[in-house]
Amino acid sequence: MKPVHLLPLGLFVLIAAALAVGLTLKPRDIPSALIGKPVPAFALAPLHESESPFTDEDLKDGKARIVNVWASWCVPCVAEHPILTDLTAAGVSVYGINYKDKPEDARLFLRRLGDPFAKIGVDPDGRTSIEWGVYGVPETFVVSGDGVIVYKTISALTRETVNSEILPLLKELNGGAE
Amino acid sequence: MKLSLLRSLLLVFSLFFSGQALAVAVDEEVIADPALETRARNIMTGIRCLVCQNQSIEDSNADLAHDLRRIVRERVEAGDDDDQVRAYLVARYGDWVLLRPPFKPRTFFLWFAPLIFLTGGIVALVFALKRRRDAPTSPEPLDAAEQEKLKKLLEERQGE
């Protein structure tokens, strides 16, 4: 057999391999354009009336933290809630952006499931979330102490993601103090 | 008979196109100035709806698409040119938000792949045709010994 006869087989293998790789990619995982960029300027009214507004200045206090975009109507948010609670219990600072929600629904959600958020801003029309490049809830960001977005993950957090990616990152950003 | 077939074909075609026109999202708060609205609409057709992924924000009814349409209109009204509006969205959502991928080194393969495959196909075709042309078209004429053999074989068969 002449080598040229192996060409179709070779081409087939090449195309099959490329398609196989393509099948493993998740089209929903859009890489964030904001990684490495400072957080957008924003000012959100607090969910709990006694608190101060949540602004970009709050994210520049020298402490790396998690910013979680959530809503009471979002089912995956319920699923990831215990993970956020555990993070707070472990001493991680978790801030929340309440996306297109009714404040009373959001407060009820937190009364029922517990409130892991150190601070929550409400984004009733989703405008601030668009500034953050959010396209679906929940989304979770890791923001460094000087207010730079260093990491983003979409859809519900998993223990695996938290343990393998988020916690090591926070530890590194906070100088191993976490 | 023939006429009714033509008619039904026409119907199918007209329905096909009217369907496309109806797919445009019914909006909400359009810009008062028709020229600006047309420009905004034009930009929208090139912006991907990130939730539905393969629709533009112009024909998607997703919530996020609606919010992005509002932003496009706001930017247009604020006096941004088309590229500035697109840059605003790209800064937040990356190149992926554009339905037409930008032309830059990372996407060269994407843009040139059809040309590369076409060239490959043409080269293969030329070689195949050349080989066919070079191949002998008619067999060599028989020499005397072969003629003799043929004659013998034919006689044998007739004798059967």
Side-chain angles (χ1 to χ4, degrees), chain A residues 6-20:
Chain A
L6 286 171
L7 200 67
L9 182 68
L11 273 176
F12 170 76
V13 169
L14 220 71
I15 293 171
L19 294 178

Side-chain angles (χ1 to χ4, degrees), chain A residues 44-168:
Chain A
L44 294 174
L47 179 67
H48 306 295
E49 271 132 21
S50 56
E51 286 172 10
S52 58
F54 177 21
T55 72
D56 50 310
E57 288 304 314
D58 293 325
L59 298 171
K60 296 170 186 163
D61 63 354
K63 189 175 168 144
R65 61 167 53 83
I66 287 174
V67 175
N68 178 255
V69 185
W70 66 284
S72 66
W73 47 261
C74 136
V75 179
C77 299
V78 181
E80 70 170 13
H81 204 76
I83 298 176
L84 292 175
T85 308
D86 288 356
L87 279 169
T88 307
V92 175
S93 170
V94 180
Y95 281 12
I97 294 177
N98 185 229
Y99 179 76
K100 287 194 168 186
D101 208 349
K102 289 193 189 119
E104 56 275 21
D105 289 351
R107 282 193 285 263
L108 186 65
F109 178 96
L110 296 176
R111 266 209 300 283
R112 280 200 188 135
L113 298 173
D115 183 356
F117 300 106
K119 193 160 203 170
I120 307 173
V122 290
D123 186 17
D125 58 1
R127 240 353 245 276
T128 297
S129 300
I130 285 176
E131 295 296 319
W132 282 73
V134 169
Y135 63 92
V137 277
E139 287 193 13
T140 305
F141 295 85
V142 173
V143 179
S144 70
D146 52 355
V148 173
I149 296 171
V150 284
Y151 174 89
K152 164 179 157 165
T153 179
I154 62 151
S155 71
L157 287 173
T158 60
R159 303 228 174 243
E160 198 195 338
T161 330
V162 168
N163 291 332
S164 65
E165 295 171 17
I166 297 179
L167 283 176

Side-chain angles (χ1 to χ4, degrees), chain B residues 30-33 36 39 72-80:
Chain B
V30 295
I31 306 176
D33 181 346
L36 287 184
R39 251 189 63 212
V72 169
R73 288 203 173 94
E74 267 173 32
R75 308 299 317 174
V76 168
E77 277 188 301
D80 276 13

